[in-house]
Amino acid sequence: MAKLQINTGAKSYEIEDENGKLLGVITIYPNDFNLGKRVKDAEKNILTLLEKAELIANDESRSNEDIANDIYDLDCKIKEQLDYMFNSNVSETVFKGLNCLNLNKGKYFAERFLEMIVPVITNELEASVKASSNRINKYASQASKR
């Protein structure tokens, strides 16, 4: 059978823990102009969910069981948003079944991941837009010379 291959412009990144253990590989498609909207929307939703986590964790009027259930639900919702952001199941790669609301040095796991990955995505998108603009300008200048 013949095989066809198309260049999608995909960029892959290895995700490691603090001990250098490979958690997995995530792929970003910087030429997917829907990525920017998904990142913006998902980041906003995740930050809202993190605020809810703070309120839940600090609500002394609720039972530990209710708090644990709500934190579990928020974990699932945040992971859904990350999967939406990347249009793939990155939450399993990054968190490996851990709760994304685990705290370390005062920050949630999901928050630390966003702080790491959003600048990378932003840089990739900016480079893609610049390349696209250069291409458009090239053809526009050729058309105007006719």
Side-chain angles (χ1 to χ4, degrees):
M1 178 188 300
K3 179 172 143 180
L4 300 174
Q5 186 177 49
I6 189 165
N7 185 344
T8 62
K11 300 241 178 160
S12 297
Y13 296 88
E14 290 183 345
I15 304 295
E16 296 180 344
D17 70 10
E18 65 275 14
N19 298 312
K21 178 184 173 197
L22 179 66
L23 298 174
V25 176
I26 61 172
T27 302
I28 297 171
Y29 296 90
N31 297 323
D32 174 6
F33 289 119
N34 291 326
L35 177 61
K37 178 170 177 21
R38 288 194 313 264
V39 169
K40 184 178 178 180
D41 292 347
E43 185 178 27
K44 179 183 172 192
N45 292 338
I46 290 168
L47 293 175
T48 298
L49 293 167
L50 291 176
E51 289 173 9
K52 286 183 182 180
E54 286 289 320
L55 294 173
I56 290 167
N58 292 316
D59 187 351
E60 296 177 8
S61 69
R62 304 182 68 219
S63 72
N64 287 339
E65 183 178 345
D66 286 342
I67 291 172
N69 288 334
D70 287 347
I71 293 295
Y72 175 82
D73 290 341
L74 287 175
D75 172 65
C76 293
K77 288 177 182 175
I78 291 170
K79 288 175 179 174
E80 286 173 8
Q81 288 298 304
L82 285 170
D83 293 345
Y84 163 72
M85 179 186 289
F86 287 90
N87 204 25
S88 67
N89 189 13
V90 299
S91 62
E92 181 57 33
T93 300
V94 174
F95 301 116
K96 294 287 186 202
L98 295 174
N99 189 303
C100 66
L101 293 170
N102 291 345
L103 281 171
N104 186 3
K105 297 183 181 179
K107 290 192 177 185
Y108 295 114
F109 194 175
E111 186 178 16
R112 292 189 313 277
F113 176 70
L114 285 176
E115 288 175 352
M116 176 188 73
I117 200 65
V118 169
V120 171
I121 294 170
T122 301
N123 289 337
E124 291 292 351
L125 284 172
E126 287 172 355
S128 182
V129 167
K130 183 177 179 182
S132 179
S133 293
N134 289 342
R135 181 178 167 92
I136 290 168
N137 290 337
K138 174 184 162 189
Y139 289 109
S141 70
Q142 288 176 355
S144 68
K145 292 178 183 178
R146 292 181 192 173

